[in-house]
């Protein structure tokens, strides 16, 4: 499956799950900022991606889980070195380079873009066909 | 407070589908206010659409809860779609069919259809609407938040409904 094709299907999922217009679902759009997603939408998006791409997404595989509650990963509202290392290892589909200058948890949320979902599906499809 | 918007479960295929019915009665309190007489028009008792969605949520919620032996706290997270084409009035019977679409440790997604059985036309079942829902297994999704240990979702009213419908909970 080509990346363009994956993007189009991801776009369709987000239009359906978040009730947004197709033209605002750009590769760079942030899910929780630009597209107005809320935490409860994560489950819906996960289910719709599974359905659309015939993949199985395990808990904590698509979005980070429990990071904010772990004092080893977050201190004073900022991601620690260990936290960043863990995030990069567990969630390679996200580009965390934006955290180099600003480690705030709020900034972490802005790393969740449409592109990162496309990356995730691309990786899952590659794993399935390997 | 009694908050049951289905009367009986009539079919259950575990982890696949559940069918429930709701008989609509003129004695339900909300019928007096939805809608009252005014501005020259007479009272017009119609089942509120929000309570029809709740009926589907209870139907699908039992399907999801049963799949986890009622150990999970199953919370309605999202109404993905709700389209109702008709009005339901006292005397009508609504039949809710919920089908499991996705089920995971985190929650479930269900697809639902609503049909209306009009007592004036025995044997006639009309398509009424479609309601798709997402449920969260709340203990698995709300990191850092604590909820009561007991299952506050499937309380006595649900247990009574299941028992009178012949379903072991």
């Amino acid at each position: 499956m080509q990346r363009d094709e994956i993007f189009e299907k991801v776009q369709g999922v987000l239009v359906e799950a978040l009730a947004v217009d197709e033209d605002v679902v750009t590769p760079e759009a942030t899910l929780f900022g630009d597209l107005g997603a809320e935490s409860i939408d994560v489950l819906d998006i996960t289910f719709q991606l599974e359905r659309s791409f015939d993949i199985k997404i395990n808990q904590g595989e698509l979005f980070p889980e429990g990071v904010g509650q772990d004092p080893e990963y977050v201190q004073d509202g900022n991601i620690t070195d260990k936290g960043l290392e863990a995030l990069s290892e567990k969630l390679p589909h996200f580009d965390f380079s934006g955290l180099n200058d600003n480690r705030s948890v709020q900034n972490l949320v802005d790393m969740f873009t449409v592109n990162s979902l496309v990356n995730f599906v691309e990786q899952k499809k590659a794993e399935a066909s390997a | 407070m009694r908050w049951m918007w289905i009367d009986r479960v009539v079919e259950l295929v575990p982890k696949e589908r559940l069918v429930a019915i709701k008989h609509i009665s003129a004695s339900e309190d909300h019928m007096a206010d939805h809608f009252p007489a005014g501005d020259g028009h007479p009272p017009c008792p119609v089942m509120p659409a929000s309570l029809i969605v709740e009926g589907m949520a209870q139907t699908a919620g039992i399907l999801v809860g049963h799949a986890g032996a009622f150990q999970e706290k199953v919370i309605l997270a999202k109404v993905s779609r709700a389209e109702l084409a008709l009005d339901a009035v006292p005397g009508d019977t609504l039949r809710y069919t919920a089908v499991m679409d996705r089920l995971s440790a985190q929650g479930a997604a269900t697809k639902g259809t609503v049909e209306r059985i009009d007592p004036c036309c025995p044997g006639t079942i009309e398509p009424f609407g479609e309601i798709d829902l997402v449920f969260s297994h709340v203990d698995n999704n709300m990191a850092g938040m604590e909820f009561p240990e007991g299952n506050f979702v499937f309380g006595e009213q649900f247990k009574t409904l299941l028992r009178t419908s012949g379903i072991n909970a």
Side-chain angles (χ1 to χ4, degrees):
Chain A
M1 184 178 272
Q2 297 297 311
R3 190 173 174 87
D4 285 356
E5 195 182 345
I6 294 174
F7 171 75
E8 280 179 20
K9 287 180 88 169
V10 168
Q11 194 178 41
V13 163
L14 295 173
V15 166
E16 180 82 14
L18 304 177
V20 291
D21 292 334
E22 191 178 278
D23 58 356
V24 301
V25 187
T26 61
E28 298 77 23
T30 61
L31 301 178
F32 295 92
D34 298 332
L35 303 185
E38 297 178 17
S39 59
I40 210 67
D41 294 311
V42 168
L43 194 56
D44 192 17
I45 291 169
T46 302
F47 284 146
Q48 293 209 34
L49 288 175
E50 284 188 335
R51 193 183 302 126
S52 296
F53 292 98
D54 193 23
I55 55 177
K56 174 70 185 152
I57 302 173
N58 297 314
Q59 188 163 7
E61 192 181 14
L62 179 55
F63 290 100
E65 208 174 83
V67 172
Q69 288 72 43
D70 191 328
E72 277 198 298
Y73 292 168
V74 174
Q75 286 175 6
D76 300 325
N78 292 314
I79 311 285
T80 62
D81 288 344
K82 192 170 183 180
L84 183 55
E85 192 179 325
L87 286 169
S88 302
E89 185 186 332
K90 290 179 184 173
L91 307 167
H93 46 285
F94 289 116
D95 176 7
F96 291 118
S97 59
L99 289 176
N100 291 336
D101 297 329
N102 180 351
R103 289 283 188 91
S104 75
V105 173
Q106 183 53 45
N107 195 32
L108 171 66
V109 173
D110 290 337
M111 306 293 111
F112 306 154
T113 62
V114 175
N115 239 343
S116 51
L117 296 187
V118 176
N119 293 341
F120 176 78
V121 173
E122 203 171 38
Q123 286 166 18
K124 292 290 283 186
K125 294 304 254 185
E127 286 169 18
S129 61
Chain B
M1 181 180 182
R2 292 182 179 82
W3 190 252
M4 292 305 301
W5 295 102
I6 51 178
D7 293 328
R8 185 178 292 182
V9 176
V10 296
E11 183 187 340
L12 169 63
V13 181
K15 297 185 181 180
E16 288 186 20
R17 64 188 245 122
L18 187 139
V19 183
I21 55 166
K22 158 71 180 164
H23 296 306
I24 297 172
S25 169
S27 67
E28 292 166 22
D29 286 345
H30 54 86
M31 288 298 185
D33 300 314
H34 194 271
F35 298 94
D39 290 338
H41 62 76
C44 180
V46 172
M47 181 75 172
S50 55
L51 294 180
I52 296 175
V53 173
E54 176 63 23
M56 178 58 79
Q58 295 186 357
T59 302
I62 291 172
L63 175 65
V64 176
H66 186 272
F70 297 105
Q71 296 304 300
E72 298 286 355
K73 299 182 183 84
V74 178
I75 300 292
L76 176 62
K78 190 171 179 178
V79 179
S80 304
R81 184 167 69 118
E83 295 177 3
L84 303 177
L86 304 169
D87 285 332
V89 299
D92 285 345
T93 296
L94 294 181
R95 187 165 79 170
Y96 297 102
T97 300
V99 175
M100 193 80 81
D101 181 36
R102 315 295 303 182
L103 176 65
S104 73
Q106 295 80 55
T110 60
K111 292 191 174 296
T113 55
V114 188
E115 297 161 307
R116 183 175 70 176
I117 302 168
D118 183 341
C120 298
C121 308
T124 303
I125 299 175
E126 295 175 284
F128 189 94
E130 297 185 350
I131 302 170
D132 299 339
L133 304 172
V134 177
F135 293 89
S136 171
H137 290 153
V138 73
D139 283 336
N140 296 335
N141 286 308
M142 305 301 278
M145 292 182 68
E146 291 186 5
F147 292 91
E149 195 170 322
N151 197 328
F152 54 85
V153 178
F154 297 106
E156 284 306 314
Q157 291 177 42
F158 273 104
K159 287 178 183 170
T160 300
L161 172 73
L162 294 170
R163 180 172 47 76
T164 55
S165 299
I167 296 171
N168 294 323

